[in-house]
């Protein structure tokens, strides 16, 4: 390439019409609703119960890592993947984080992983969702399982009584 070729290239670049800037594709989505995170909340509640963590203890075992007064969706997803929850499924973590951070009353929203919410609001919503959804789901499971368990016990009642008599003859 000679000097004149180089000059011609530079001048053609300078003179070439600019391409119109493309508008970024809209990434509008519906906010995550409570029913979409119900099972995730139950799962987290069960993990807390297994580790003997009370809802009231979350500040000491979970939220203490957050040093700001606000938290983003992205930070919350990362936080949920750490102890005590160890939520490794990023999709689940993102759904829950979005549910806690985004405002559901706005209709469709522009997704932004850096959208943030006041930590105090997120903490309150998190506590309510974990305890409310879990309690409701646990009651639902109990109502569903109780008749099945009772039926099995009734079916094998004599065998169960015999095993107990053999194991505890004095009782």
């Amino acid at each position: 390439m000679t000097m004149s070729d180089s000059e011609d290239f530079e001048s053609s670049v300078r003179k070439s019409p600019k391409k119109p800037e493309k508008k970024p594709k809209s990434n509008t989505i519906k906010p995550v609703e409570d029913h979409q995170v119900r099972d995730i909340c139950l799962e987290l509640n069960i993990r807390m119960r297994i580790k003997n963590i009370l809802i009231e203890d979350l500040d000491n075992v979970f939220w203490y890592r957050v040093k700001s007064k606000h938290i983003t969706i992205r930070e919350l997803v990362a936080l949920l993947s750490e102890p005590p929850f160890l939520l490794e499924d990023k999709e689940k973590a993102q759904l829950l984080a979005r549910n806690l951070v985004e405002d559901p009353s706005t209709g469709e929203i522009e997704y932004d992983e850096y959208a943030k919410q006041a930590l105090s609001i997120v903490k309150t919503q998190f506590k309510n969702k974990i305890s409310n959804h879990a309690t409701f789901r646990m009651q639902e499971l109990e109502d569903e399982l109780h008749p099945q368990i009772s039926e099995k016990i009734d079916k094998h009642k004599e065998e169960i009584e015999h095993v107990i008599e053999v194991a505890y003859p004095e009782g």
Side-chain angles (χ1 to χ4, degrees), residues 129-144:
K129 289 177 191 309
I130 295 296
S131 59
N132 291 345
H133 287 301
T135 303
F136 176 76
R137 185 72 177 123
M138 292 300 278
Q139 185 61 48
E140 194 177 80
L141 288 172
E142 282 181 30
D143 292 347
E144 188 178 304

Side-chain angles (χ1 to χ4, degrees), residues 93-112:
Q94 188 175 42
L95 276 176
L96 182 56
R98 286 185 51 218
N99 179 265
L100 293 168
V101 172
E102 296 170 348
D103 181 5
S105 65
T106 59
E108 287 200 355
I109 56 170
E110 190 90 17
Y111 175 70
D112 178 9

Side-chain angles (χ1 to χ4, degrees), residues 44-61:
L44 296 181
N45 183 285
I46 290 170
R47 289 178 189 210
M48 286 175 55
R49 288 179 185 202
I50 289 170
K51 295 176 182 183
N52 293 322
I53 299 171
L54 301 174
I55 294 283
E56 298 79 30
D57 297 333
L58 284 176
D59 281 341
N60 298 327
V61 296

